[in-house]
Amino acid sequence: MLQARLFDTLLIAKGPSLVNTFTLASPYIILANYVQLDWAESFGVKMYIVSGSVGREDTDVLIKVFARMLKVADG
């Protein structure tokens, strides 16, 4: 599944943001509606939406991390 591969390619910490100083990513629909996935998707919330919070890492490093993920997405 492309979504899982992209998420795995994103080399940052995974989990919900709880006012951290480091960058985190999490699959939005899983956190918000895990027991109601079909219901959430019926409103247009797609499984592949990734929620992120940017931390205090070096900007160039973060750009490279996200660019790598986008390169995988582009094929």
Side-chain angles (χ1 to χ4, degrees), residues 39-71:
W39 174 82
E41 284 194 327
S42 74
F43 288 96
V45 180
K46 303 296 182 194
M47 287 288 295
Y48 54 80
I49 294 174
V50 174
S51 176
S53 62
V54 177
R56 298 175 63 185
E57 295 90 351
D58 182 77
T59 304
D60 291 331
V61 171
L62 290 175
I63 289 171
K64 287 177 185 174
V65 166
F66 282 94
R68 180 175 182 257
M69 182 192 71
L70 292 173
K71 186 175 181 180

Side-chain angles (χ1 to χ4, degrees), residues 5-69:
R5 196 171 89 219
L6 292 177
F7 194 65
D8 289 345
T9 301
L10 192 54
L11 299 177
I12 59 173
K14 310 299 194 299
S17 176
L18 302 170
V19 191
N20 294 305
T21 59
F22 53 90
T23 300
L24 285 165
S26 58
Y28 175 77
I29 195 171
I30 300 295
L31 292 176
N33 301 96
Y34 181 73
V35 297
Q36 303 169 319
L37 297 178
D38 293 334
W39 174 82
E41 284 194 327
S42 74
F43 288 96
V45 180
K46 303 296 182 194
M47 287 288 295
Y48 54 80
I49 294 174
V50 174
S51 176
S53 62
V54 177
R56 298 175 63 185
E57 295 90 351
D58 182 77
T59 304
D60 291 331
V61 171
L62 290 175
I63 289 171
K64 287 177 185 174
V65 166
F66 282 94
R68 180 175 182 257
M69 182 192 71

